[in-house]
Amino acid sequence: MPENSTAAVAGFFLPELPRLLPYAYHPQAAQIEIASNGWVRRFLAESFATEADLLFFLRQRNGIYGPLTVPHADRQRAQDIADWYQYVTVIDSSVSDCSTLGGSAEGAVKVFTQILADFGTGMPTDGEFPYGRAGQDLWRRISPGLSQAQIGRFTASLESFLNGCTVEISAKLRDRTPDYESCMAVRLDSFGCDFIELMTEYGAEVDMTELIPELAEVHLHCRRQMTIFNDLLSWRKERAQDDKMTVVRVLTEVEGLGLQTTVDRLCVLVEEHERAYIAARERLLTGPLGSRPDVRRYLSGLDYLMGGSQEFEYLTPRYFGDGAAWDGSTSGWVDLNAAVTRFRSRP
Amino acid sequence: MPENSTAAVAGFFLPELPRLLPYAYHPQAAQIEIASNGWVRRFLAESFATEADLLFFLRQRNGIYGPLTVPHADRQRAQDIADWYQYVTVIDSSVSDCSTLGGSAEGAVKVFTQILADFGTGMPTDGEFPYGRAGQDLWRRISPGLSQAQIGRFTASLESFLNGCTVEISAKLRDRTPDYESCMAVRLDSFGCDFIELMTEYGAEVDMTELIPELAEVHLHCRRQMTIFNDLLSWRKERAQDDKMTVVRVLTEVEGLGLQTTVDRLCVLVEEHERAYIAARERLLTGPLGSRPDVRRYLSGLDYLMGGSQEFEYLTPRYFGDGAAWDGSTSGWVDLNAAVTRFRSRP
């Protein structure tokens, strides 16, 4: 019955969201995206079954997520970050695909164990393993710009992400939709929040490791705002792939709400978390930590991370279908059954 | 026999070209492209038969041609220029399509006459005519930034372009491939060289009208370098659409050269015109005109125009097939029969 109530609805209306945070494109966003596509081809082509699958991935423009989330970073760091996000998005895409990593939790764990074994070591354990070579290349480029403490967090963040991916695979294979807080806990991992924060530090050239407790509240609302907005924009794709770990499915299937009611409630939550983030960030800026230039730089980085992440999700054909071309609109009716959709003025 | 010699060859090798001129992306290239896609949807959607045709066009990324050719222009001027190039590219695409403007020279002339009648007047003659409304919008935005002399050139440049398009349609319908110099004369029109130079002035905020005779030599080599390179990169598309007005077809069909010999000869010509352009531009810079800031700004604009135009042609899926995603490579084997191609290391 809740299954049917979702299936019967062909779409939803996404209202204009407040977008209280700034966003900007890195001035070299276009070049970074192109170079990053070249990096994916060089390092990760073999992880795609065919050239067509690789092109399908590149058309999603995941290479512009980096330049959108660290718009003020040094060019090389922005490039490293762009490549990193492509790397984890290749893995994430494979997790959602039942014909590859998504087909078996045990198989995925085996691959993830090898990824982690290769990551941070001098040489890949198997030179033919594309995830290993790509991870190594990123490690070599990024870790020299991190402190010892950040390097430890770098590996741990990849592990959290892969654990989140494993839980998502299992939930899907067992056809199990979790409750809201359980879902959110997994999503914060599988969305990669740990490395997203670390990449924000890397882009801003700061080390926030010792301040993580003080940053708990800004991080909490930042993470939830990003995750909920992502689940809204990605619902067309996640639904088509039968992914269980999305708050849209939680509200419709577990809590029994209609799809539009769910969307409206999640939009309220996006705004609430955005405002709570801003309030928490203001308290930090006006408190004793607010006089530290590194803290100010990092918090500004979080602002642009949230704003840029949202911009990317409007933009990417990953969510609205292969072949979509964004025209800048940010509100309208979303058709869940169309192969390619966009924000329409009418349902 | 010459027909067959072309048809038998499935591809060619494009060598690395010297690229002696600088190129750069406008710092807001990504945003300008997206906003320009929104403009195309708003003003020109009805000139496409279906939503799928519109998306096919937007995926070609023609909206980034402007920001690549005027990388240092003011944001609004760069946006105007981006929209202008999308406008003429929509027309150009329709000219190559036998099911629309390309199907009849008389029909095209009728449409072009209406476009010109609307252009530069207070109101479109027919509010339902999308080319009229779009041209009007561009006129309203661009002409206040032009001198009276430039405004006259603006209309004349659109007329030259549409005349070139008409000749291309006729040549194709009559199955007639011209000789090299006749082809080049038409291509300089249909490539839009007059408005390309004018847009370069608009981007640089200068008026070169009175200096056009002194600029003859730089313009000559600039135009030929751009046109020949365009004909090389667009050969896969032009061949598929049976377009006659391309120097690749002239050399293979009229002069009877093999395809690879043709490509190699055209690459030599690209380099020769590039070097001749640079020499002519140096003579101007070291001569009496070289002390004028407006002349220096314009000549720098031409440098970036040529460099950026070349970058765009490597980048756009317009030439290598819908679904292509550029990885930054600029040399390799081009497969003419593949639906989507790229520069490959082997044939």
Side-chain angles (χ1 to χ4, degrees):
Chain A
M1 163 62 184
E3 278 284 350
N4 291 342
S5 73
T6 307
V9 178
F12 64 87
F13 179 78
L14 189 81
E16 207 68 76
L17 285 161
R19 304 192 84 183
L20 306 170
L21 293 162
Y23 63 92
Y25 290 74
H26 193 284
Q28 289 163 299
Q31 300 97 302
I32 290 169
E33 181 186 1
I34 292 162
S36 191
N37 286 348
W39 182 85
V40 171
R41 182 177 286 287
R42 216 154 50 250
F43 280 91
L44 287 162
E46 295 141 55
S47 68
F48 294 90
T50 65
E51 167 75 13
D53 292 319
L54 169 60
L55 286 178
F56 176 88
F57 179 82
L58 296 180
R59 287 193 296 269
Q60 296 178 347
R61 308 198 57 185
N62 300 299
I64 209 167
Y65 186 77
L68 259 170
T69 52
V70 291
H72 306 118
D74 158 80
R75 159 75 197 254
Q76 184 55 51
R77 287 196 182 217
Q79 188 73 57
D80 300 338
I81 291 167
D83 294 346
W84 170 262
Y85 284 129
Q86 294 244 49
Y87 174 63
V88 292
T89 310
V90 169
I91 296 173
D92 185 65
S93 300
S94 189
V95 162
S96 288
D97 179 354
C98 284
S99 72
T100 57
L101 288 180
S104 147
E106 295 70 40
V109 165
K110 219 175 131 189
V111 172
F112 295 164
T113 305
Q114 193 178 348
I115 288 175
L116 285 168
D118 286 352
F119 197 69
T121 62
M123 278 288 288
T125 49
D126 173 2
E128 300 296 303
F129 182 57
Y131 292 127
R133 273 187 294 119
Q136 280 280 323
D137 181 64
L138 292 163
W139 175 268
R140 263 196 305 270
R141 287 156 54 191
I142 295 172
S143 59
L146 300 176
S147 70
Q148 272 310 312
Q150 285 177 311
I151 286 177
R153 288 166 56 208
F154 194 23
T155 307
S157 74
L158 183 58
E159 192 164 2
S160 299
F161 167 69
L162 297 174
N163 286 342
C165 290
T166 307
V167 178
E168 289 207 4
I169 293 171
S170 300
K172 182 155 141 187
L173 294 173
R174 290 186 201 158
D175 197 19
R176 214 171 273 179
T177 304
D179 63 59
Y180 187 84
E181 283 302 326
S182 310
C183 175
M184 191 55 81
V186 177
R187 287 291 287 125
L188 299 182
D189 280 344
S190 68
F191 193 66
C193 289
D194 287 351
F195 58 62
I196 283 176
E197 285 154 14
L198 188 64
M199 290 299 137
T200 306
E201 292 173 49
Y202 182 67
E205 307 192 26
V206 299
D207 179 3
M208 291 290 112
T209 308
E210 292 192 352
L211 298 180
I212 288 176
E214 283 84 353
L215 293 165
E217 208 183 345
V218 291
H219 282 164
L220 170 86
H221 295 295
C222 167
R223 288 170 168 221
R224 289 189 176 226
Q225 192 269 9
M226 289 198 300
T227 303
I228 298 169
F229 184 74
N230 179 270
D231 282 4
L232 276 167
L233 269 280
S234 66
W235 174 238
R236 183 195 147 282
K237 167 183 172 286
E238 305 282 297
R239 175 177 174 268
Q241 292 180 321
D242 198 31
D243 280 1
K244 302 300 175 193
M245 213 59 74
T246 148
V247 290
V248 176
R249 196 179 288 278
V250 168
L251 293 197
T252 52
E253 294 188 7
V254 179
E255 304 196 11
L257 301 181
L259 178 59
Q260 189 60 52
T261 309
T262 295
V263 168
D264 294 341
R265 183 170 296 186
L266 291 175
C267 287
V268 169
L269 283 172
V270 166
E271 178 165 355
E272 283 179 4
H273 285 300
E274 205 166 307
R275 293 189 185 279
Y277 162 82
I278 291 169
R281 182 255 271 144
E282 277 311 295
R283 280 192 296 277
L284 280 176
L285 286 174
T286 53
L289 286 176
S291 58
R292 281 178 54 170
D294 58 343
V295 172
R296 300 188 79 85
R297 229 175 20 253
Y298 178 67
L299 292 175
S300 168
L302 286 186
D303 288 357
Y304 282 96
L305 162 69
M306 292 168 73
S309 195
Q310 185 162 339
E311 176 82 354
F312 172 76
E313 287 158 15
Y314 290 126
L315 174 160
T316 176
R318 182 172 175 84
Y319 299 143
F320 278 10
D322 186 34
W326 193 38
D327 59 13
S329 54
T330 49
S331 168
W333 292 92
V334 177
D335 183 341
L336 294 173
N337 294 326
V340 179
T341 193
R342 64 186 177 95
F343 292 116
R344 294 174 184 276
S345 50
R346 286 182 300 270
Chain B
M1 162 65 185
E3 278 285 352
N4 291 341
S5 73
T6 308
V9 178
F12 64 86
F13 179 78
L14 187 83
E16 207 68 75
L17 285 161
R19 302 192 86 182
L20 305 170
L21 293 163
Y23 63 92
Y25 290 74
H26 193 285
Q28 289 163 298
Q31 299 98 300
I32 290 169
E33 181 186 2
I34 292 161
S36 191
N37 287 347
W39 183 84
V40 171
R41 182 179 286 289
R42 216 156 47 252
F43 281 90
L44 289 162
E46 295 141 56
S47 68
F48 295 89
T50 64
E51 167 75 14
D53 292 320
L54 169 59
L55 286 177
F56 176 87
F57 179 82
L58 297 181
R59 287 194 295 269
Q60 296 179 347
R61 306 196 61 183
N62 300 300
I64 208 166
Y65 186 77
L68 258 170
T69 51
V70 291
H72 305 118
D74 159 78
R75 159 75 197 254
Q76 184 56 49
R77 287 197 181 216
Q79 187 73 57
D80 299 339
I81 292 168
D83 295 347
W84 170 263
Y85 284 129
Q86 295 243 51
Y87 174 63
V88 292
T89 310
V90 169
I91 296 173
D92 184 66
S93 300
S94 189
V95 162
S96 288
D97 180 353
C98 285
S99 72
T100 57
L101 288 180
S104 147
E106 294 71 37
V109 165
K110 219 176 133 190
V111 172
F112 294 165
T113 304
Q114 193 177 348
I115 289 176
L116 285 168
D118 285 353
F119 197 69
T121 61
M123 279 286 290
T125 48
D126 172 2
E128 300 297 300
F129 182 57
Y131 292 127
R133 275 186 293 120
Q136 280 280 322
D137 181 65
L138 292 163
W139 175 269
R140 263 195 304 271
R141 288 156 54 191
I142 295 172
S143 58
L146 300 176
S147 69
Q148 273 309 314
Q150 285 176 312
I151 286 178
R153 289 166 55 208
F154 195 23
T155 307
S157 74
L158 183 58
E159 190 164 4
S160 299
F161 166 70
L162 297 175
N163 286 342
C165 290
T166 307
V167 179
E168 288 207 4
I169 293 171
S170 301
K172 183 156 141 186
L173 294 173
R174 291 187 200 157
D175 197 19
R176 213 171 274 178
T177 304
D179 63 58
Y180 187 84
E181 283 302 327
S182 309
C183 175
M184 190 57 79
V186 178
R187 289 289 289 123
L188 299 183
D189 280 343
S190 68
F191 194 66
C193 289
D194 287 350
F195 59 63
I196 284 177
E197 285 154 14
L198 187 64
M199 289 299 137
T200 305
E201 293 173 49
Y202 182 66
E205 307 190 25
V206 299
D207 179 2
M208 291 290 112
T209 308
E210 293 193 352
L211 297 179
I212 288 175
E214 284 83 354
L215 292 166
E217 208 184 345
V218 291
H219 282 164
L220 170 86
H221 295 295
C222 166
R223 288 169 169 222
R224 290 190 175 226
Q225 191 268 9
M226 290 199 298
T227 303
I228 298 169
F229 184 74
N230 179 270
D231 282 3
L232 276 168
L233 269 280
S234 66
W235 174 238
R236 182 195 148 283
K237 166 182 173 287
E238 305 281 297
R239 174 177 174 268
Q241 293 181 322
D242 198 33
D243 280 0
K244 303 299 175 195
M245 213 57 74
T246 147
V247 290
V248 176
R249 195 179 289 279
V250 168
L251 293 197
T252 52
E253 294 187 7
V254 179
E255 303 196 13
L257 302 181
L259 177 60
Q260 189 61 51
T261 308
T262 295
V263 168
D264 294 341
R265 183 169 298 186
L266 292 175
C267 286
V268 168
L269 283 172
V270 167
E271 178 165 352
E272 282 179 5
H273 285 299
E274 204 167 307
R275 292 189 185 280
Y277 162 82
I278 291 169
R281 182 255 270 143
E282 277 311 295
R283 280 191 295 276
L284 280 177
L285 285 174
T286 53
L289 286 176
S291 59
R292 282 178 54 170
D294 58 343
V295 172
R296 301 189 79 86
R297 230 173 23 251
Y298 177 67
L299 291 174
S300 168
L302 286 185
D303 288 357
Y304 283 96
L305 162 69
M306 292 168 73
S309 194
Q310 186 161 339
E311 176 81 353
F312 172 76
E313 287 158 14
Y314 289 126
L315 174 161
T316 176
R318 181 172 176 84
Y319 298 143
F320 278 12
D322 186 34
W326 192 39
D327 60 12
S329 54
T330 49
S331 168
W333 293 91
V334 177
D335 183 341
L336 293 173
N337 293 324
V340 180
T341 193
R342 63 186 178 94
F343 292 117
R344 294 174 183 276
S345 51
R346 286 182 300 271

